[in-house]
Amino acid sequence: MYVVIVYDVSVERVNKVRIFLKRYLDWIQNSVFEGELTKAKLKEIELGLKQIIDEEEDSVIIYITREEKLLKKKYIGEPKVEVTRIL
């Protein structure tokens, strides 16, 4: 499945969330990650985020689609971060 995760978290947790998500997904922009995941990896991410964030103060949104080509993207301006996959 293809996943886009966006978050708005308190300053003291933002780096923890970013470092955590970089283990699983591509960092696209500040507070935005995306990439292919298995159901098990997505569950792992959800559990990990619940341990990092304060659910009464922070917000995380996860958009899920079957595959990237089903998600239409439109860019205005230059992408903030170049996405690369090194195997």
Side-chain angles (χ1 to χ4, degrees), residues 26-57:
D26 296 318
W27 186 29
I28 303 304
Q29 286 189 335
N30 294 338
S31 304
V32 181
F33 283 80
E34 64 181 48
E36 289 286 336
L37 291 175
T38 63
K39 287 182 182 181
K41 288 294 182 189
L42 178 56
K43 189 66 173 172
E44 197 174 305
I45 287 172
E46 290 174 3
L47 293 172
L49 287 172
K50 285 182 178 187
Q51 292 177 5
I52 297 170
I53 71 166
D54 179 343
E55 292 187 58
E56 293 182 10
E57 185 177 327

Side-chain angles (χ1 to χ4, degrees), residues 9-82:
V9 299
S10 183
V11 172
E12 60 265 13
R13 289 181 289 279
V14 74
N15 279 332
K16 289 180 184 179
V17 170
R18 182 180 49 80
I19 290 166
F20 174 75
L21 289 175
K22 282 178 95 172
R23 297 186 337 208
Y24 300 92
L25 298 164
D26 296 318
W27 186 29
I28 303 304
Q29 286 189 335
N30 294 338
S31 304
V32 181
F33 283 80
E34 64 181 48
E36 289 286 336
L37 291 175
T38 63
K39 287 182 182 181
K41 288 294 182 189
L42 178 56
K43 189 66 173 172
E44 197 174 305
I45 287 172
E46 290 174 3
L47 293 172
L49 287 172
K50 285 182 178 187
Q51 292 177 5
I52 297 170
I53 71 166
D54 179 343
E55 292 187 58
E56 293 182 10
E57 185 177 327
D58 302 327
S59 175
V60 177
I61 301 172
I62 302 172
Y63 298 94
I64 303 167
T65 186
R66 285 187 309 226
E67 49 191 84
E68 183 180 9
K69 68 181 178 181
L70 297 175
L71 178 66
K72 184 178 180 182
K73 296 180 193 178
K74 184 182 266 188
Y75 294 94
I76 299 174
E78 289 295 315
K80 188 164 186 126
V81 176
E82 182 180 339

Side-chain angles (χ1 to χ4, degrees), residues 26 84-87:
D26 296 318
T84 59
R85 281 286 176 175
I86 300 173
L87 299 176

